[in-house]
Amino acid sequence: MAKNHKPQIFFLNDKNYAFTVSWSKEYSKLIKKTTESTKPLGDLFEVRNGLATGDDPIFIKDKKECSIDKAVIYGEDVKRYRIEYKNRFVHYDPVKMIRHRKTARPASKDWFEIDEKIVIHQVGGAKIKACLDTNGYYATISTILIKNLNNNLS
């Protein structure tokens, strides 16, 4: 077999149909070993963006005014290993948000009102800024949320 020859079956068996130019027999063995003995991350976790109100000045306030106002965080509130909550509240009325602006994406409250989720600042710079949220914060579009599908995260 020629030095640069890559068996076609390797590419056909790749679920992503990736063309890996660094392929070798050792690489192929490693990929086979890891895919046979592990679960795909998608079977363990679900990942989503935070909510988009469509108009933050209307829907996000500095004080709680009624029962549907929920504590909310922005990506900038997410630090490495902690959340710096700034006492902001989202008036969480998905129907009103969408009626006000069709581009609103309020997300489901099941994504926020859970015991644990990982919150990541979407634009974090050189280091990942993420932490475990056990307070059930609602989070804006500047965050990424990770929910465990099977067990607790802590």
Side-chain angles (χ1 to χ4, degrees):
M1 195 180 308
K3 181 180 175 183
N4 292 327
H5 179 78
K6 313 288 188 247
Q8 286 185 351
I9 193 69
F10 173 76
F11 301 108
L12 294 173
N13 288 339
D14 187 318
K15 293 178 184 174
N16 297 321
Y17 300 104
F19 186 77
T20 308
V21 294
S22 61
W23 181 88
S24 66
K25 286 183 182 177
E26 293 78 22
Y27 177 79
S28 184
K29 287 178 189 175
L30 177 64
I31 295 298
K32 184 176 181 183
K33 183 178 177 181
T34 58
T35 56
E36 287 177 351
S37 62
T38 60
K39 291 183 178 181
L41 286 176
D43 291 351
L44 303 172
F45 302 97
E46 196 172 343
V47 179
R48 298 239 174 118
N49 286 324
L51 66 90
T53 66
D55 197 343
D56 284 2
I58 289 177
F59 292 101
I60 296 183
K61 303 293 180 193
D62 291 334
K63 66 179 185 174
K64 186 171 183 159
E65 297 172 350
C66 67
S67 64
I68 65 170
D69 291 352
K70 307 295 182 182
V72 68
I73 57 172
Y74 282 87
E76 67 189 31
D77 303 331
V78 179
K79 309 299 181 194
R80 290 191 81 189
Y81 316 117
R82 71 187 191 287
I83 294 173
E84 288 183 2
Y85 177 60
K86 295 194 174 84
N87 209 37
R88 291 185 279 222
F89 297 88
V90 61
H91 186 75
Y92 189 72
D93 185 339
V95 173
K96 190 174 182 179
M97 288 176 185
I98 293 168
R99 207 178 291 142
H100 175 73
R101 186 152 299 146
K102 299 284 184 227
T103 58
R105 240 183 354 93
S108 168
K109 68 180 181 178
D110 320 6
W111 264 93
F112 309 111
E113 296 177 5
I114 56 176
D115 293 334
E116 297 181 327
K117 63 183 169 288
I118 294 173
V119 183
I120 303 170
H121 182 189
Q122 198 169 56
V123 183
K127 295 182 180 178
I128 293 176
K129 295 177 185 173
C131 66
L132 183 66
D133 171 18
T134 58
N135 294 313
Y137 290 119
Y138 281 58
T140 65
I141 192 72
S142 58
T143 62
I144 298 169
L145 308 173
I146 300 174
K147 177 169 64 169
N148 190 334
L149 297 175
N150 302 312
N151 301 310
N152 289 343
L153 292 164
S154 54

